Amino acid sequence: MKIGHARIDLTPKEGEEFYLLGYKTPLRNEPAKGIHDHIFSNALLFQKEDDSFFLWSADLLELPEETCEDIKTCLEKRFGINRDHIILAVMHNHSSIRDFHRNWEFGKYNPEYDEFLMQSVEDSYNQCLDNLQNATAKTGEEIIIGYYSNRNHKGLPADNNVTVVKFYDEQNKPFAAIVNWAVHSTGLGAENMYLTGDMAGNTCRKLQEIWGYYPLMLNGAAGDCSNRYNRQGKGFDELDRVTTGLADEISKIRCDKSIRIDNIKQISLSHEIVTDMDAYHKVLEEYLDKIKNGQLETLDHMPQSHLIDKIQGELQRQKFELNIRFGVVDVGDLRFYVFPGELGSKFGIQLREETKGKTVLVAGYANGFNYYFLNKEEYGLSFETIGNPVPPGEPECIVKKMLEAGAFLS
């Protein structure tokens, strides 16, 4: 197996006006104040004879499905790669750039930046082709505690497992890596107006200072995981403390298990959700009554006014139908579970525990973006599940499909 790697700067030019993408606050209707640190994409290209698999990850909040499909079409036409062998992922950075997003409700769309982003992915692919080399792989994992945790259950972990896969050249020297964790990249809050790579981007940069190369950061099942209960502040000093600590912990993970990377196999899946709106609206009305009577207090202590606004907005929704597309990709003993949304941490743990004989990487926020998908026990307890048109139990059906497809590939 040959592997190539790439890193592209996605930061707008100094002095150009741009907008931030993330928190849904009117403050983000104002142009960003500036650039604190640059944002990047990292990519890996796996190639065996005429078959290829392309993995791309960026310091962005989300990639809409239409953008992903446009990028896949471009890569398919330009390089002949099977579009189902492409993963386009983001780190869910709430202080990233908005300008490429065609439908976000705050800020402004910039077609020139959109075109630049599209071209940058093609440039990443070309950069990978330029440095393709024979490679082997080793992996390791550890539980890292103290920097992030379950944001709906104070004091409890979420999916705190961090998996590292390192790739070695013919001299047995590491030259690239994947770091798979599961946490919202939100070291900074909604009041921040400076562009930054936030937790993921800055941890990546600090790992390069230790390892000598930039790893590709890949976010997993992070729907209920953040540093909400672990942060000691909300400024850039705190961001520096957290990312320095995370980089130090991750760099110590021993990658001493050799894994086979060769044949590329994949299965594309879909799951249709058609919500019973009468039943959904009835549940929403019950939530409003509980708020009015002082009987509803969410675990995340979200202001009641925000929750009321969300519920009232959902009451205006007359139909919810979603055909969500996801999949499983194997590169030898390396397995990617690919999902275009925010899976709950329970599911990330389940996917690893119930997959035998493979090194599992969960690629959340990948190839599109759709809602929170938390386990049914969480419904009614948190902002993410109250006013969520995805009915309880549907995420479990999706994960079951993933595991069944994985068993078939094996």
Side-chain angles (χ1 to χ4, degrees):
M1 175 70 73
K2 291 185 175 181
I3 293 178
H5 57 96
R7 181 171 171 86
I8 300 288
D9 195 333
L10 302 180
T11 311
K13 294 178 182 177
E14 196 73 43
E16 285 187 352
E17 182 179 275
F18 65 93
Y19 293 79
L20 296 185
L21 181 66
Y23 301 99
K24 293 185 177 181
T25 166
L27 184 61
R28 294 290 173 90
N29 273 325
E30 301 298 322
K33 291 183 177 179
I35 300 166
H36 181 271
D37 54 90
H38 285 214
I39 59 172
F40 293 86
S41 68
N42 292 285
L44 292 171
L45 177 64
F46 299 75
Q47 191 173 89
K48 183 179 180 183
E49 298 173 351
D50 294 331
D51 207 3
S52 299
F53 164 61
F54 183 62
L55 174 62
W56 180 93
S57 179
D59 298 326
L60 302 173
L61 177 79
E62 66 177 48
L63 278 180
E65 186 172 310
E66 61 178 331
T67 301
C68 293
E69 293 306 317
D70 287 348
I71 293 172
K72 287 183 180 183
T73 297
C74 175
L75 296 179
E76 185 178 41
K77 288 182 177 180
R78 176 72 176 82
F79 302 105
I81 185 173
N82 181 341
R83 65 191 300 116
D84 291 328
H85 289 188
I86 300 170
I87 298 178
L88 304 170
V90 296
M91 293 308 296
H92 208 49
N93 172 12
H94 284 61
S95 293
S96 59
I97 189 166
R98 179 257 190 265
D99 293 38
F100 70 92
H101 202 300
R102 301 164 197 175
N103 301 306
W104 192 261
E105 57 196 280
F106 294 103
K108 295 182 181 179
Y109 168 65
N110 181 346
E112 291 182 358
Y113 186 86
D114 190 6
E115 183 178 347
F116 161 74
L117 180 64
M118 296 278 291
Q119 182 61 48
S120 76
V121 184
E122 183 177 331
D123 291 344
S124 292
Y125 202 105
N126 273 317
Q127 198 176 115
C128 288
L129 286 174
D130 288 342
N131 59 51
L132 275 174
Q133 59 183 307
N134 292 320
T136 56
K138 294 180 182 180
T139 186
E141 61 183 66
E142 291 289 347
I143 301 293
I144 295 179
I145 301 294
Y147 297 97
Y148 55 87
S149 57
N150 194 308
R151 70 181 191 173
N152 293 334
H153 298 276
K154 187 175 182 179
L156 295 180
D159 183 1
N160 283 76
N161 186 85
V162 178
T163 301
V164 175
V165 181
K166 290 185 178 181
F167 302 99
Y168 298 79
D169 62 20
E170 292 179 327
Q171 286 72 48
N172 202 34
K173 180 180 179 182
F175 66 91
I178 300 172
V179 173
N180 190 201
W181 69 13
V183 60
H184 275 65
S185 186
T186 50
L188 300 169
E191 67 282 356
N192 174 57
M193 290 296 288
Y194 288 90
L195 183 70
T196 171
D198 212 312
M199 285 175 63
N202 281 279
T203 300
C204 176
R205 176 175 56 81
K206 291 175 181 180
L207 282 170
Q208 188 277 334
E209 294 170 358
I210 300 170
W211 287 343
Y213 53 88
Y214 293 98
L216 183 147
M217 307 293 290
L218 189 65
N219 212 353
D224 54 356
C225 184
S226 76
N227 68 342
R228 173 179 295 162
Y229 297 120
N230 302 88
R231 63 172 65 116
Q232 299 176 12
K234 292 186 178 181
F236 285 103
D237 288 345
E238 171 66 2
L239 180 63
D240 182 63
R241 182 192 72 83
V242 168
T243 54
T244 297
L246 282 168
D248 181 61
E249 293 282 352
I250 294 169
S251 70
K252 294 175 182 176
I253 296 176
R254 293 183 60 186
C255 292
D256 50 12
K257 177 185 176 183
S258 295
I259 56 172
R260 177 177 55 90
I261 48 170
D262 48 23
N263 295 328
I264 302 167
K265 299 186 292 183
Q266 62 82 216
I267 294 181
S268 297
L269 302 165
S270 66
H271 185 79
E272 186 174 13
I273 298 172
V274 180
T275 300
D276 181 336
M277 298 308 290
D278 288 338
Y280 179 47
H281 285 168
K282 182 178 178 180
V283 170
L284 293 175
E285 293 285 3
E286 291 173 355
Y287 284 138
L288 284 177
D289 287 342
K290 288 181 178 180
I291 293 173
K292 180 180 178 180
N293 296 326
Q295 299 173 329
L296 181 66
E297 182 178 352
T298 61
L299 289 167
D300 47 18
H301 304 291
M302 182 65 65
Q304 300 284 33
S305 59
H306 291 188
L307 193 55
I308 291 171
D309 288 345
K310 181 183 180 183
I311 293 172
Q312 290 178 338
E314 285 296 305
L315 283 169
Q316 302 304 309
R317 191 195 292 269
Q318 299 303 310
K319 181 173 71 171
F320 182 78
E321 297 178 2
L322 176 64
N323 189 12
I324 190 165
R325 296 183 290 177
F326 49 103
V328 185
V329 181
D330 278 0
V331 183
D333 291 333
L334 196 57
R335 169 162 294 171
F336 296 85
Y337 286 109
V338 187
F339 188 73
E342 302 195 48
L343 286 171
S345 58
K346 175 183 176 180
F347 298 126
I349 295 169
Q350 181 184 357
L351 288 168
R352 284 196 309 277
E353 289 182 345
E354 297 187 22
T355 301
K356 307 303 180 184
K358 300 284 185 180
T359 293
V360 171
L361 302 179
V362 179
Y365 311 89
N367 293 345
F369 185 81
N370 296 275
Y371 300 95
Y372 287 91
F373 293 77
L374 303 187
N375 50 297
K376 57 187 176 183
E377 295 85 3
E378 293 291 315
Y379 274 70
L381 300 179
S382 65
F383 186 80
E384 297 91 349
T385 57
I386 296 174
N388 185 344
V390 177
E394 295 291 343
E396 282 82 354
C397 295
I398 289 170
V399 172
K400 182 181 178 182
K401 284 186 176 181
M402 285 183 173
L403 288 167
E404 289 174 344
F408 180 81
L409 277 182
S410 298

